[in-house]
C-alpha cells in the first residue's frame, strides 16, 4: 500500500522540488537587489538626519529595515522552507 502512495505522490514531489529550486534562485536574486535598495534607503536616512528632517529619515530607515534581511526576504525564506519541509515529508512516506 505504501508503494502505491509513493508512486502517486512522485509527480507532486518532482513538481515541488522544481518549484523550490526556481523560487530559491529568484529569492537569491531578489535578496541581492533588495540589499542594494536597503543600502540606498540607509544612505537617504542619513542624509535626511543631517538635513534635520527626522520624520523622513525615520521613514527611510523603516523602509530600509523592511527591505533588509529581516523584512520581505525573511517571508520568502519562510515560504521556501515550508515548501522544502512539505517535499521532505512527502519523501519520507
Amino acid at each position: 500500500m505504501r508503494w502505491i502512495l509513493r508512486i502517486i505522490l512522485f509527480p507532486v514531489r518532482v513538481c515541488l522540488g522544481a518549484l523550490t529550486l526556481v523560487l530559491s534562485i529568484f529569492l537569491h536574486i531578489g535578496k541581492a537587489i533588495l540589499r542594494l535598495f536597503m543600502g540606498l534607503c540607509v544612505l537617504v536616512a542619513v542624509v535626511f538626519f543631517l538635513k534635520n528632517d527626522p520624520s523622513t529619515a525615520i521613514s527611510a530607515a523603516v523602509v530600509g529595515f523592511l527591505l533588509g534581511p529581516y523584512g520581505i526576504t525573511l517571508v520568502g525564506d519562510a515560504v521556501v522552507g515550508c515548501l522544502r519541509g512539505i517535499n521532505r515529508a512527502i519523501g519520507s512516506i
Side-chain angles (χ1 to χ4, degrees), residues 34-48 56-67:
L34 287 176
R35 284 181 194 237
L36 290 173
F37 286 142
M38 180 193 68
L40 289 174
C41 286
V42 169
L43 287 175
V44 167
V46 169
V47 167
F48 278 114
T56 308
I58 291 172
S59 299
V62 168
V63 169
F65 178 76
L66 289 175
L67 294 177

Side-chain angles (χ1 to χ4, degrees), residues 2 13 17 24-25 49 58-59 73:
R2 186 175 171 186
R13 188 164 183 225
S24 63
I25 290 170
F49 268 126
I58 291 172
S59 299
T73 57

Side-chain angles (χ1 to χ4, degrees), residues 6 12 14 17-18 30 36 46-47 50 52 57 63-64 72 92:
R6 287 184 78 135
V12 174
V14 169
L36 290 173
V46 169
V47 167
L50 293 175
N52 291 328
V63 169
I72 298 171
S92 67

Side-chain angles (χ1 to χ4, degrees), residues 13 81 83-93:
R13 188 164 183 225
L83 288 176
R84 284 185 182 149
I86 292 171
N87 199 9
R88 286 186 195 133
I90 291 173
S92 67
I93 291 177

